[in-house]
Amino acid sequence: MATFGNLSARLTDTFKNLRAKGKLSASDIDSTVREIRRALLEADVALDVVKDFTGKVRDRALGDEVSEALNPAQQVVQIVNEELVSILGGEQRRLEFAKNPPTIIMLAGLQGAGKTTLAGKLAKWLKGQGHTPLLVACDLQRPNAVTQLSVVAEQAGVAVFAPEPGNGVGDPVKVAKNGVAEAKAKHHDFVIVDTAGRLGVDAEMMKQAADIRKAVNPDEVLFVIDAMIGQDAVATAKAFQEGVDFTGVVLTKLDGDARGGAALSIRSVTGRPILFASTGEGLGDFEPFHPDRMASRILD
Ligand code: GDP
């Protein structure tokens, strides 16, 4: 899992300076907030999110909870921690299960975001909890995507539904519908629909994803985003929200040198919760997302 190297180090330094002070003046707090602001901007957190965050921290830090605290610096750290948890979504949001199975999960996102890998990870995780997911291969854009999905399905030990004559060759909407029908017929309790991405935001891709969504009415649409894309995360997320809309977010590649920006911006910018974090190429490198644990890692 990401250590948010620079961001963590900057915040740690800022708090070290603060702890050396004992009682805090308004100007100590101002300079601390300025440091936090700089650290967040350097980590590629969206400007509006940074402004909102530092505004809240500043207001609280200037209030009674700090001036009356036995250890004011510690209290400021506590406030930053609480506000980080808050921008990461507060409470953990779990996957929604359909009242009548199968629960249908659709994955959407740019090419290379990690959707196909995630399909395998989710399937393995669900299988480990006694579920019987079916993976449905609707990425007919990337030459290798169907084979790649079959490979991850095999690794996860779950079934896959792929386009073949009769299963809707060339038509991802038909494959999605037929895949869901197959899941019902064979009593799979989860369906995970992998969809096509493009290297950049593209109207045709959005329409295809929106059509699949309309056709199978998923319980969850998970927007999969590479945490390494930094500042682009916000525009990409907004485009997918407009084009397809989604119920939750999955952050991938948090094992890399993520600067933290996407992780910290995405919830505030989209209003959608982060459900999972992907932390490597292996199918086990995956975990439900806990805002409080992520905040602790950042402040570690
Ligand atoms: P898709 O185009 O969205 O289906 O993306 P893929 O699932 O094919 O993933 C693109 C590349 O990213 C592959 O080489 C994956 O092995 C890699 N990948 C996916 N998730 C992660 C992750 O969490 N961490 C790292 N380091 N690599 C990942």
Side-chain angles (χ1 to χ4, degrees), residues 83-219:
E83 294 299 335
L84 276 177
V85 173
S86 167
I87 63 167
L88 289 165
E91 290 284 303
Q92 183 203 3
R93 154 76 150 78
R94 292 166 194 276
L95 201 61
E96 290 279 349
F97 284 33
K99 283 200 188 75
N100 298 313
T103 297
I104 302 172
I105 303 171
M106 171 178 162
L107 308 180
L110 292 181
Q111 185 173 316
K115 292 181 296 301
T116 305
T117 311
L118 176 73
K121 292 177 175 190
L122 260 177
K124 184 180 155 100
W125 181 76
L126 287 167
K127 190 182 176 209
Q129 296 173 40
H131 296 293
T132 55
L134 175 70
L135 297 185
V136 177
C138 296
D139 181 354
L140 311 185
Q141 208 71 39
R142 199 153 52 83
N144 231 348
V146 174
T147 315
Q148 192 192 338
L149 193 71
S150 304
V151 170
V152 295
E154 199 179 325
Q155 285 170 353
V158 304
V160 66
F161 182 87
E164 282 173 15
N167 284 350
V169 179
D171 181 351
V173 175
K174 214 177 253 175
V175 177
K177 274 191 187 161
N178 291 346
V180 171
E182 163 106 345
K184 286 181 180 160
K186 298 204 170 151
H187 304 292
H188 290 278
D189 65 349
F190 273 85
V191 183
I192 300 169
V193 181
D194 189 22
T195 67
R198 297 277 204 287
L199 290 174
V201 169
D202 171 294
E204 199 191 322
M205 163 189 71
M206 288 294 180
K207 181 171 182 320
Q208 185 180 95
D211 287 347
I212 292 174
R213 179 174 194 171
K214 224 183 290 160
V216 301
N217 191 25
D219 301 284

